[in-house]
Amino acid sequence: MDTVSLMPMSTLLIRNAHVLVTMDGREIQHGGLYARDGWIENVDLTDDIPAVADEIVDLTGHLVLPGLVNTHHHLYQTLTRAFPGAQDAGLFEWLRTLYPVWARLTPDHVRISTRLGLVELARSGATTIFDHQYLWPNGSRADDQFEGADGLNLRFHVSRGSMSLGESDGGLPPDSVVEDHDAILDDTRRVISAHHDDGRGAVRRVVVAPCSPFTVTAELMRDSAALARDAGVRLHTHLAETEDEVEFCLENFGHRPVAHMETLDWTGSDVWYAHSVHCGDDEVIRMGAAGTGIAHCPTSNMRLASGLAPIGPYLAAGIPVGLGVDGSASNDSSNMLAEARQALLLNRLAVAPGIGEGPQMSARQALELATVGGADVLGRDDIGVLAPGRAADFIAIDLNRVEFAGALHDPVAAAVLCAPGRIDHSWVGGRPLVQYGRVVGVDEESLVERHNMLARDLVG
Ligand SMILES: [Zn+2]
């Protein structure tokens, strides 16, 4: 990559990409992109866009894609990856093992795990990241997550998540990690007013995200929905992740999870669920009609033996679907390119003879889920596609690597099928995020050292 820069930057020109994928239907050989003040003005053949700019980057030999969008994660769980007691457990047992460890999280743990996870995601191509944190012990706050992201040039959507249904009230988590109903709502309002930016091109947003039907009271679910709609922010929760949860909902609410959420006003185009593995045909149709989105988390669903989410039917029903790497303790990695590959491979299993039916997901469909699909799920029409009027958020992968040798017949499909794992460069709003595989402005070695120290301290 050759870069010619004349400061201060206001226009950026990308030239000579081996292929540039816009995600609105075009794959441009020898592609170029021209952006002004972080917004795309032209995407076309290099020879057909302006030849002069304040900064010029030659991406000969690179694949260029829109920045990837992560729609579900728990960054704090980077501190408890590969945790010995939780390696071979289903969701409920996995949670019961880890809750007491997470109850010791401090603001420092939240800040450093947030930063570490964001860096890991950025190196795999993520430029917009949603995180779902739902427990705030020992004085930790959503503000600590924003602080952890300080100086990172990426778009970060933080949840003010919550849990209010402790063990003594019939919930799954120990009482020590649940919060008071009114305190949750008061702090949610505070976090929105302190941090939420609703504008196009926003780099920090807030989402209202009670954890799940088995950790939150129905009353908190309902009040959270009202609060979010009043404030104009989006709603997110885990739903229908496992058979255990379906049984919990039938036993406690007399409904399956989707029907339970319908009674709580938790459907619509401002809502997205994580997982939705166990949904029947009628539920799929109802979610499609409501416009409710899905964060598909294939690695986590395999890791916890949760099941096969019906992604083919979701897409056929018009449901917005994005990808989520989901909790670093139920995936043990935060890698968006790997998640796109897992989505494709898990779909191939889901439609295998004797297991299911339907068309095979293509590599391009997997990339769609990771880009424009994720943007739709997060309610953003300013990212996910490389086109005039969209933000200049894009990634570049050097195709002259061992992993791609012999795959240049179709470098776009190779990005998913060959599993490169890491990107080489990325830009957010026309400014660099990753350069030569490293996140700009981050001392990775000292971050890893500090994170490992905090992880040891947490596990005790
Ligand atoms: Zn999750």
Side-chain angles (χ1 to χ4, degrees):
M1 183 184 75
D2 294 323
T3 302
V4 181
S5 178
L6 300 171
M7 297 301 285
M9 186 199 82
S10 63
T11 54
L12 170 68
L13 173 61
I14 299 299
R15 293 171 57 84
N16 302 324
H18 184 85
V19 56
L20 184 151
V21 184
T22 61
M23 283 296 162
D24 64 357
R26 289 191 300 164
E27 293 181 5
I28 307 167
Q29 315 288 326
H30 201 61
L33 179 152
Y34 182 83
R36 182 184 302 277
D37 296 330
W39 296 93
I40 297 172
E41 288 192 350
N42 296 76
V43 181
D44 219 322
L45 292 167
T46 295
D47 293 342
D48 290 346
I49 62 175
V52 179
D54 298 319
E55 183 170 2
I56 301 173
V57 181
D58 189 300
L59 286 177
T60 298
H62 288 71
L63 167 69
V64 173
L65 296 163
L68 309 185
V69 180
N70 185 44
T71 62
H72 185 70
H73 202 24
H74 312 286
L75 292 162
Y76 72 89
Q77 293 177 9
T78 55
L79 294 159
T80 52
R81 297 200 242 216
F83 190 74
Q87 288 177 11
D88 307 311
L91 177 68
F92 279 18
E93 190 191 336
W94 176 88
L95 283 168
R96 285 194 190 101
T97 304
L98 287 165
Y99 281 139
V101 179
W102 297 337
R104 296 197 287 268
L105 286 172
T106 65
D108 243 11
H109 288 109
V110 174
R111 279 191 287 271
I112 298 299
S113 60
T114 296
R115 195 166 188 80
L116 188 287
L118 291 175
V119 165
E120 186 184 8
L121 274 162
R123 290 174 5 146
S124 73
T127 53
T128 296
I129 294 158
F130 165 70
D131 191 54
H132 187 184
Q133 180 138 357
Y134 48 80
L135 76 178
W136 307 99
N138 307 309
S140 55
R141 308 190 304 167
D143 312 63
D144 299 317
Q145 290 210 277
F146 285 112
E147 214 175 290
D150 260 0
L152 299 180
N153 180 36
L154 45 78
R155 303 186 199 278
F156 190 26
H157 294 213
V158 166
S159 65
R160 200 320 179 173
S162 55
M163 296 200 292
S164 66
L165 189 66
E167 234 168 352
S168 62
D169 293 319
L172 193 76
D175 292 353
S176 61
V177 291
V178 303
E179 296 176 88
D180 170 71
H181 178 102
D182 291 343
I184 290 168
L185 295 176
D186 285 349
D187 193 54
T188 304
R189 284 187 204 95
R190 181 191 68 77
V191 172
I192 293 168
S193 98
H195 298 288
H196 184 69
D197 176 358
D198 203 29
R200 272 176 70 77
V203 293
R204 300 291 183 258
R205 281 194 177 161
V206 176
V207 174
V208 177
C211 185
S212 68
F214 52 87
T215 57
V216 169
T217 63
E219 187 191 9
L220 183 65
M221 279 286 185
R222 199 177 280 115
D223 289 352
S224 294
L227 187 160
R229 290 188 173 120
D230 190 43
V233 304
R234 296 177 81 75
L235 282 161
H236 178 64
T237 193
H238 294 93
L239 199 76
E241 181 174 355
T242 63
E243 283 290 1
D244 287 348
E245 180 190 330
V246 175
E247 280 165 33
F248 181 95
C249 287
L250 285 168
E251 200 169 298
N252 288 275
F253 312 120
H255 298 293
R256 291 176 57 82
V258 172
H260 175 52
M261 297 314 276
E262 286 166 346
T263 69
L264 301 173
D265 206 15
W266 259 82
T267 64
S269 58
D270 58 346
V271 178
W272 86 101
Y273 305 143
H275 304 295
S276 300
V277 171
H278 298 278
C279 293
D281 294 348
D282 56 327
E283 292 167 302
V284 174
I285 290 165
R286 298 208 304 278
M287 279 192 282
T292 309
I294 303 291
H296 177 39
C297 308
T299 304
S300 173
N301 296 160
M302 288 186 271
R303 163 75 158 81
L304 296 174
S306 300
L308 289 161
I311 298 306
Y314 285 150
L315 294 172
I319 292 173
V321 178
L323 295 182
V325 296
D326 192 27
S328 275
S330 65
N331 177 333
D332 309 288
S333 84
S334 314
N335 190 307
M336 277 302 294
L337 277 174
E339 208 61 31
R341 186 167 195 262
Q342 296 284 46
L344 177 143
L345 295 176
L346 186 59
N347 164 268
R348 300 291 173 95
L349 178 63
V351 302
I355 296 177
E357 57 183 15
Q360 294 190 6
M361 181 186 290
S362 69
R364 283 168 174 76
Q365 281 178 306
L367 288 173
E368 264 177 49
L369 299 184
T371 54
V372 64
D376 285 349
V377 164
L378 295 188
R380 296 196 71 137
D381 63 3
D382 54 347
I383 59 170
V385 168
L386 300 182
R390 299 267 182 156
D393 293 9
F394 56 95
I395 62 176
I397 301 172
D398 185 352
L399 296 167
N400 295 306
R401 287 205 226 156
V402 169
E403 302 96 304
F404 289 118
L408 299 188
H409 325 289
D410 187 350
V412 180
V416 174
L417 295 176
C418 295
R422 284 172 64 169
I423 59 152
D424 294 278
H425 313 289
S426 68
W427 288 260
V428 175
R431 292 191 299 122
L433 167 60
V434 174
Q435 299 282 266
Y436 297 98
R438 294 178 79 89
V439 177
V440 173
V442 174
D443 176 348
E444 290 181 7
E445 288 71 22
S446 59
L447 178 60
V448 168
E449 196 179 327
R450 176 116 178 87
H451 186 273
N452 273 329
M453 202 191 77
L454 286 164
R456 274 196 304 275
D457 160 66
L458 186 70
V459 170

